[in-house]
Amino acid sequence: MATVLITGANRGLGLEFCRQYAEQDWHVIACSRNPDDAFDLNNLATHHNVQIEALDVAEFEQIDALSKKLADLPIDVLINNAGIYTDNSTNGFGHLDYQAWTKSLVVNTEAPLKMAEAFLPQIKRGNKKLIVNISSLMGSIADNDSGGSIFYRSSKAALNAAMKSLAIALKDQSVGVLIFHPGWVKTDMGGPNGLINADQSITGMRALIENFSLDQSGSFVKYDGTPMPW
């Protein structure tokens, strides 16, 4: 049985990843900061092979502890989905909230790298050997023609740069890295004006994950496979 580990699994894209993989009979390890409050995730776990684990990705000792707990489990796909958006109308340039910016960088950039470090032994024992990262078009410097969202943009651009380097570093170990723009999705973070729903986004990304080959490692692509500008 293939195994996927998903962070930020309690809602939105993370929950839809869990649902689709669970319905395909994967062993799903679903990570959430507050599992007791994750009603939809717990309901999914009552009907499918979903193992729920408490994990706040901003607390790196929790990542190490979970890796130790799952030390003997091969992981085919790690999906770094957890993310935050801390920009608002009161903390833009001129009155930047550096604490909020740091939190964005920890969760959106550092935590995915920490997850990759901590779970690399399990990933190397899996069959797929793939680290997936949910980034954003807003992480593209080339696409930024509207400005704003300094915290989120910089954290996702940094994620892209770091994961590109990781792809190069891990290629000789046959471990792949993918960076996704999931599209503008109707979720709590994406808002009600999104152009697609979570089912469309995750279906597209799962197809790319399924057909991944190592020569694609380090790619930054849209959910439908369209290459994204850096």
Side-chain angles (χ1 to χ4, degrees):
M1 179 179 293
T3 297
V4 59
L5 190 157
I6 304 164
T7 65
N10 59 298
R11 63 178 184 174
L13 297 179
L15 181 62
E16 184 63 19
F17 265 124
C18 290
R19 185 186 69 80
Q20 292 197 19
Y21 274 114
E23 290 180 353
Q24 293 297 312
D25 296 323
W26 281 52
H27 175 205
V28 176
I29 304 170
C31 300
S32 170
R33 279 185 301 167
N34 300 299
D36 290 344
D37 298 330
F39 175 80
D40 292 333
L41 182 59
N42 279 285
N43 184 56
L44 182 67
T46 63
H47 300 94
H48 296 283
N49 186 11
V50 177
Q51 174 182 341
I52 302 175
E53 297 287 350
L55 178 66
D56 182 344
V57 297
E59 302 295 333
F60 289 1
E61 67 276 8
Q62 292 187 23
I63 295 176
D64 287 330
L66 183 58
S67 177
K68 185 176 180 180
K69 178 180 178 179
L70 303 177
D72 297 327
L73 180 69
I75 293 174
D76 293 276
V77 181
L78 164 64
I79 300 179
N80 287 312
N81 169 73
I84 56 172
Y85 185 92
T86 61
D87 297 89
N88 59 51
S89 60
T90 69
N91 63 13
F93 184 73
H95 35 85
L96 291 168
D97 181 340
Y98 287 91
Q99 186 174 1
W101 194 356
T102 296
K103 186 174 182 181
S104 289
L105 289 167
V106 169
V107 173
N108 294 347
T109 308
E110 295 179 16
L113 270 294
K114 176 61 180 177
M115 289 291 296
E117 278 192 321
F119 286 95
L120 183 60
Q122 294 93 321
I123 294 166
K124 289 170 68 174
R125 291 200 304 274
N127 290 321
K128 198 71 178 177
K129 298 181 175 63
L130 182 58
I131 300 167
V132 173
N133 305 277
I134 305 305
S135 183
S136 171
L137 176 62
M138 294 180 73
S140 168
I141 295 173
D143 183 76
N144 185 2
D145 56 9
S146 60
S149 300
I150 289 174
F151 306 159
Y152 191 73
R153 287 186 185 277
S154 63
S155 68
K156 290 299 188 179
L159 172 66
N160 292 355
M163 286 298 171
K164 178 66 174 181
S165 288
L166 188 63
I168 295 168
L170 295 180
K171 197 166 187 177
D172 65 354
Q173 301 179 54
S174 300
V175 175
V177 176
L178 266 180
I179 308 162
F180 279 128
H181 166 46
W184 186 8
V185 188
K186 296 176 183 178
T187 62
D188 289 345
M189 181 180 288
N193 297 320
L195 301 178
I196 60 172
N197 59 38
D199 177 81
Q200 291 171 285
S201 176
I202 302 307
T203 297
M205 288 189 284
R206 278 203 314 109
L208 294 171
I209 290 168
E210 178 65 26
N211 295 309
F212 174 81
S213 61
L214 197 59
D215 62 341
Q216 298 170 317
S217 191
S219 298
F220 179 27
V221 296
K222 194 175 178 181
Y223 72 95
D224 61 2
T226 304
M228 298 297 297
W230 294 103

